[in-house]
Amino acid sequence: MEVSAQISELEQINDWKAEVESARDAIRSMRSQLEQAVLRTTDEDDRVQIEHFQNQFIRQMEVADEMHHDLRQSAKKINGKLPVLHDDRPVDNLETLNDRMHTFRKLYSELQKEFGEFIAFS
């Protein structure tokens, strides 16, 4: 692989890692907001929604953690420091990582919107 292509790929991966880290921070913040909502509500429908968001935050954080790990592994692979790859989540294919980031962004954005609407009306 050409050195300039490696640098470009590393820059892309680092941008994605920063984006994922920002999402992780935002999820932590949303969890704090949710904890405050728990204290304010006695409505059963709200409690069902709260449980829904708790589950969504757990799952979204798991996906973010996997993405962050895989992006780190990909950077190591590009730098020639990683000979072994995940069979179930290839980290040496930038197009695959790009597709996963697209999906991650979409699901994260939907969660943010849905949670924002819940907080606004609770």
Side-chain angles (χ1 to χ4, degrees), residues 59-83:
R59 182 61 190 132
Q60 190 69 34
M61 190 62 90
E62 288 171 347
V63 171
D65 289 346
E66 287 175 3
M67 278 302 306
H68 192 265
H69 175 266
D70 290 352
L71 291 167
R72 284 184 34 221
Q73 296 296 91
S74 182
K76 287 179 183 179
K77 172 69 174 163
I78 289 170
N79 284 325
K81 298 178 182 176
L82 182 71

Side-chain angles (χ1 to χ4, degrees), residues 33 36-38 40-41 46 50 115-122:
Q33 290 177 318
Q36 295 302 312
V38 167
R40 291 189 310 260
T41 189
D46 283 349
I50 288 168
F115 182 69
E117 290 170 357
F118 170 73
I119 288 297
F121 295 108
S122 66

Side-chain angles (χ1 to χ4, degrees), residues 76-97:
K76 287 179 183 179
K77 172 69 174 163
I78 289 170
N79 284 325
K81 298 178 182 176
L82 182 71
V84 179
L85 302 175
H86 297 284
D87 291 334
D88 61 333
R89 298 186 323 255
V91 296
D92 61 341
N93 184 323
L94 203 63
E95 186 175 329
T96 299
L97 289 172

Side-chain angles (χ1 to χ4, degrees), residues 105-117:
R105 281 186 198 111
K106 180 180 180 289
L107 295 174
Y108 171 68
S109 176
E110 290 170 359
L111 177 61
Q112 272 186 310
K113 182 180 182 225
E114 183 183 359
F115 182 69
E117 290 170 357

